[in-house]
Amino acid sequence: MSAIQEDIYAGIDILLDDNALAEAIVEDSSRLAAVKTAVQSINDGLRSRYQDGSADAEEIVYGRARLIDRLLTTLFEFYRAQANQDISLVAVGGYGRGELHPGSDIDLMILLDAEESSATREALEQFLMLLWDSKLEIGHSVRTVEECVAGYVEDITIATNIMESRLLAGSPALF
């Protein structure tokens, strides 16, 4: 990363306090409020940086992806600890390219090593409900590696999404 990029992201990175979020989500009673506050901070901060001229459109698009990566990673790691199998959170589509325009949906794939267990299903349902309840526009799929391979062959949209993917959290070996 260049010095200029570091300066740009330094101004954007302060919009999300990862440690405060990680501490707040441990308490069930404050989890949703903490995530809503984090999302609002990201949205308001990026809008303000754009409107005051301290960030251009490209910086907003890449900075938003960077901040949402951090938010999702923090949340996913919390819920992944409750799952009893190997899982990964993968950004796909435009979000997989590291681009996230304001108002765009966040395309995710949850990759499983095998068919989901009941503990994993429960953890993933809570994770996704928290994202939806916090008003994030999430598009998601839950697939095993075998389902990815089968879908890749049968559906060009699945193939395109998988080609434009990157690991956010979880098992690098599974990804």
Side-chain angles (χ1 to χ4, degrees):
M1 187 179 306
S2 74
I4 293 171
Q5 287 173 315
E6 286 180 26
D7 286 345
I8 292 166
Y9 285 130
I12 289 174
D13 282 344
I14 63 170
L15 299 177
L16 178 64
D17 185 342
D18 303 86
N19 293 330
L21 178 62
E23 289 175 15
I25 63 173
V26 173
E27 282 296 320
D28 188 44
S29 62
S30 63
R31 191 171 301 142
L32 179 58
V35 175
K36 282 183 171 182
T37 298
V39 169
Q40 192 67 46
S41 175
I42 291 168
N43 291 340
D44 291 349
L46 290 173
R47 183 180 309 106
S48 176
R49 288 185 59 80
Y50 181 74
Q51 289 174 343
D52 72 14
S54 60
D56 65 18
E58 183 177 9
E59 294 162 358
I60 298 301
V61 168
Y62 290 104
R64 181 169 169 71
R66 182 179 169 109
L67 291 168
I68 295 297
D69 286 357
R70 290 175 33 212
L71 174 81
L72 293 175
T73 298
T74 300
L75 297 174
F76 186 76
E77 291 298 346
F78 174 78
Y79 287 104
R80 185 170 83 114
Q82 300 171 28
N84 60 358
Q85 68 186 97
D86 205 12
I87 59 176
S88 295
L89 182 64
V90 180
V92 296
Y95 182 47
R97 289 189 305 271
E99 302 170 359
L100 191 57
H101 293 263
S104 291
D105 64 331
I106 302 164
D107 293 322
L108 300 171
M109 177 175 60
I110 299 169
L111 188 60
L112 307 168
D113 63 343
E115 201 61 39
E116 64 191 351
S117 67
S118 59
T120 299
R121 182 178 304 111
E122 177 69 23
L124 294 177
E125 285 174 358
Q126 290 178 10
F127 170 69
L128 292 168
M129 285 191 312
L130 180 61
L131 298 179
W132 291 324
D133 290 346
S134 64
K135 304 300 184 220
L136 288 171
E137 295 293 326
I138 301 295
H140 80 284
S141 62
V142 179
R143 293 192 173 98
T144 64
V145 173
E146 292 77 21
E147 290 169 334
C148 287
V149 171
Y152 188 92
V153 171
E154 296 172 9
D155 186 342
I156 190 69
T157 60
I158 293 173
T160 303
N161 270 342
I162 292 172
M163 288 187 321
E164 298 180 321
S165 65
R166 63 190 168 89
L167 180 65
L168 296 175
S171 171
L174 179 60
F175 177 69

